[in-house]
Amino acid sequence: MSDFDRRSVLKAGLGGAALLAGPGIVPVRAAEWTNTPEPNASIRVLRWKQFIQAEFDKFAEQTKKFSEKTGIKVKLEAESWEDIRPKAAVAANVGAGPDLIVGTLDDPFKFPEKLIDMTDVATYLGAQYGGWYPVAERYGKKGNSWIAIPQGATGGCLNYRISHVKAAGFDEFPKDTDGFLKLCQALKKNNTPAGFALGHATGDANGWCQWALWAFGGKVVNDKNEVVIDSPETIAAIEYVKQLYATFIPGVLSWNDSNNNKAFLNGELSLTLNGISIWTVGKNSPDPKQQEIAKDMNHAPMPIGPVGVSTEQQNVLVYYGYKHSKYPKAVKEYIKFMMDKENYDAWEVASNGYVSPPLPAYNDNPVWTSDPKITPYRDCLKRCRDNGYAGDLGYASAAVMGDFVVVDMFAEAASGSATPKEAAARAAERAKRYYQV
Amino acid sequence: MAVIAEPVAAHVKRSSLWSRAFESRNFLGAMFMVPAIAILVLFLAYPLALGFWLGMTDTKIGGVGRFIGFRNFVSLSKDSVFWLSVFNTIFYTVFASIVKFAIGLYLALLLNERLPFKSMVRAIVLLPFVVPTVLSAIAFWWIYDSQFSIISWVLIKAGLLTHYIDFLGDPWNARWSVVIANIWRGVPFVAITLLAGLQTISPSLYEAANLDGATNLQRFRHITLPMLSPIIAVVMTFSVLMTFTDFQLIYTITRGGPINATHLMATLSFQRAITGGNLGEGAAISNAMIPFLVAAILLSFFGLQRSRWQQGGRD
């Protein structure tokens, strides 16, 4: 799908450029960037707080380089990515605050009319680098206009202990849901359990719960935005998760996004869903025990369920600028600069592959093959669906995710406080409140 | 001349009216009140009115809402998570407030006695109130951690347990855990304020009671409690209000989990308004807290008005 998109975009770009340029008159270029930032521009950028220090340092260094090159002053601030959402909401509501935010998921779709039209930046980057992943386009584009530029995703893959998986009888990590369940059961039997957050953990709990729902053909809404979560497919997903939950380390119902990292690096967990940060932190830790864990761990994509395709949900990061900014052109110039392949590649190397790229052309970065343990993170956006699947991104999709409707559904059934049928019906009732508006 | 004289006369008339107004004690008093009223209106009444208005609209983040009357409330009345949050809030407030009062009163009585190192003990009692709420919440989050809890660790090392306690993963455990965190946080306020009240009671009353041969319990029942009633009413009103509207402790420790078992109305309001983007509904949840809060204030207000009640009578 992505190859097709890349070729078609390139063909269209090259064809158009050739027509405009005429044979032999000017060199053929895939894309043109014509943007003149406002004089004496100064912008405020709020981005997600780093999990890997080298990543942020590189980002700041490139921001400085941008200022030196363009004369545009940039004030760079960072907040925990969960805290960016309220700040972004307030900025949208009061019409003041940062000029540009690097936030998450479908936040821009909650206030699209407050945002700078980024179509020219997206078109330029897409044409220059051979097209976006379809899911990146979903997170950037509303109707025919781009309201956000996907920066990538803090990719989530399965983090596992190689020796524990082998001891459980698996030479290779299972690629389907059946094998995955058997692995979790065997890990539990060996007293080296798996653990996946089932508390109100915005990233990790939503991530694997959406995967489980979609893997069995369940979905919150259909393509007409009608709530269809109360379905036999959802019940099948819940039954599966109940079996998985029985194999988990105790306490996952209370886990937030940092619990699995702590438990894994303490040697209490053999398998979880996380970004590359556990491995990176372990590798760079002065603690020999954590170094040993990092050596003994590897990463894998989420298994494929009965639907037969990858159904991952990833924490997609997006740039979005506000119309209240006095310098919208400077904002676009900054995004273009940070997303240009040369800069993006250098930043990716510093982050050790923490952000999965939104443009397939960026996959040739040597960091992805510098260590085979990093490679599974490269294709996170190729394997993922947007969190509004199969409907539209917007207020309702954000609200359903923000209200933990899917997570609570699985948690209720897994913990035995509701039957699978009751849990699915309750999730439908909750989702309808948002989708009926 | 006549043409000029007329406006001058009018001016004189106006000035004298203005001057006369300032000679009036009532007018002058009202004028002195203006800055205070302006501040109250701007920073207290306006946000409250805006909250009321938002609760009656379908405002989304970044959007302009339409007036929809009571539709948010009707929708909430059919929302099981909302009703769960109402139950959780009442449970949290009732249990935390009762225990905070009991411990606070005990500590106040203790600190009112002649104790060695009294100043240092008072400072220690105040510590939980001094620590920023978020920091104490993080500390409790660690204390209750499913893998690293110090409580579980100690009990296991002492041979009293075989498994870590699932403090925050079980709905009822989680409810009690956050109540305990709130008690720890709120006891100093109750204790220190009641201590201030105790110190206003004249020692001569106790001396007279001693001469009459009153027991400790009788002195507490017939002197301390009646004399302390007004301050108890104020302290408990504030304690109930602060507990009912608590946000930081819950948001930091559980985010309303597991399965919404610790969602208070304040945290649900935030989740719906900011994370979910529905400002109207979030405001409606906040507005739904007002009847409970007003009831708590009225109880205290009428209690304070009743002199017999203040003196320990049942009234």
Side-chain angles (χ1 to χ4, degrees), chain A residues 105-426:
Chain A
L105 298 167
D106 46 4
D107 278 355
F109 289 80
K110 289 193 281 189
F111 34 80
E113 66 283 1
K114 302 279 176 180
L115 302 176
I116 299 169
D117 187 329
M118 296 283 183
T119 308
D120 49 356
V121 190
T123 308
Y124 164 79
L125 290 169
Q128 182 77 353
Y129 300 116
W132 299 87
Y133 277 123
V135 74
E137 195 165 324
R138 290 268 299 160
Y139 274 110
K141 208 170 173 184
K142 183 168 175 64
N144 292 323
S145 303
W146 288 71
I147 55 169
I149 301 296
Q151 187 195 30
T154 53
C157 282
L158 290 167
N159 289 224
Y160 64 92
R161 293 286 295 268
I162 299 164
S163 60
H164 296 180
V165 168
K166 274 197 178 142
F170 289 79
D171 287 331
E172 266 196 7
F173 197 87
K175 291 187 170 55
D176 61 10
T177 42
D178 285 343
F180 183 65
L181 177 60
K182 280 178 194 146
L183 168 65
C184 289
Q185 286 165 338
L187 286 172
K188 169 83 174 174
K189 205 170 156 190
N190 289 353
N191 207 22
T192 56
F196 291 74
L198 256 180
H200 284 180
T202 312
D204 292 338
N206 273 308
W208 84 272
C209 287
Q210 297 277 16
W211 158 80
L213 177 67
W214 296 334
F216 287 82
K219 50 196 164 199
V220 177
V221 290
N222 61 19
D223 56 3
K224 291 176 190 145
N225 291 313
E226 293 162 341
V227 174
V228 293
I229 194 170
D230 193 2
S231 68
E233 290 82 7
T234 301
I235 303 291
I238 295 175
E239 295 286 6
Y240 179 79
V241 167
K242 270 187 83 170
Q243 293 181 74
L244 272 186
Y245 176 77
T247 72
F248 289 170
I249 192 168
V252 293
L253 279 173
S254 68
W255 277 14
N256 70 18
D257 283 301
S258 65
N259 281 80
N260 57 359
N261 305 44
K262 285 188 294 174
F264 202 105
L265 283 170
N266 199 44
E268 300 192 15
L269 204 57
S270 297
L271 169 63
T272 195
L273 168 74
N274 208 70
I276 204 164
S277 54
I278 294 181
W279 178 64
T280 307
V281 169
K283 206 171 68 159
N284 299 328
S285 168
D287 180 354
K289 191 183 161 196
Q290 292 195 1
Q291 285 175 18
E292 205 50 49
I293 289 172
K295 272 184 207 153
D296 184 38
M297 67 184 287
N298 204 350
H299 308 110
M302 295 300 285
I304 292 174
V307 291
V309 290
S310 285
T311 56
E312 293 179 7
Q313 190 267 323
Q314 299 287 353
N315 189 37
V316 174
L317 306 161
V318 281
Y319 284 100
Y320 48 98
Y322 288 94
K323 277 184 186 162
H324 65 238
S325 169
K326 282 192 221 164
Y327 308 108
K329 290 186 174 179
V331 165
K332 290 183 188 184
E333 195 68 26
Y334 179 74
I335 297 173
K336 186 251 169 196
F337 180 86
M338 300 303 273
M339 289 297 293
D340 267 344
K341 190 166 189 303
E342 184 191 346
N343 296 325
Y344 194 97
D345 276 354
W347 172 62
E348 191 76 87
V349 169
S351 80
N352 201 28
Y354 185 62
V355 178
S356 312
L359 292 144
Y362 291 8
N363 289 350
D364 62 6
N365 190 323
V367 75
W368 297 118
T369 44
S370 61
D371 189 318
K373 291 181 181 180
I374 304 177
T375 311
Y377 285 95
R378 181 186 60 199
D379 301 323
C380 282
L381 278 160
K382 192 176 177 181
R383 300 190 299 261
C384 100
R385 287 175 173 173
D386 66 87
N387 62 288
Y389 178 82
D392 296 327
L393 287 173
Y395 151 74
S397 65
V400 165
M401 197 168 171
D403 211 15
F404 298 99
V405 171
V406 174
V407 174
D408 286 346
M409 176 182 79
F410 284 119
E412 279 174 1
S415 63
S417 66
T419 64
K421 232 177 158 167
E422 285 165 354
R426 215 159 104 82

Side-chain angles (χ1 to χ4, degrees), chain B residues 11 51 103 166 315:
Chain B
H11 175 70
I103 299 176
D166 195 4
D315 199 16

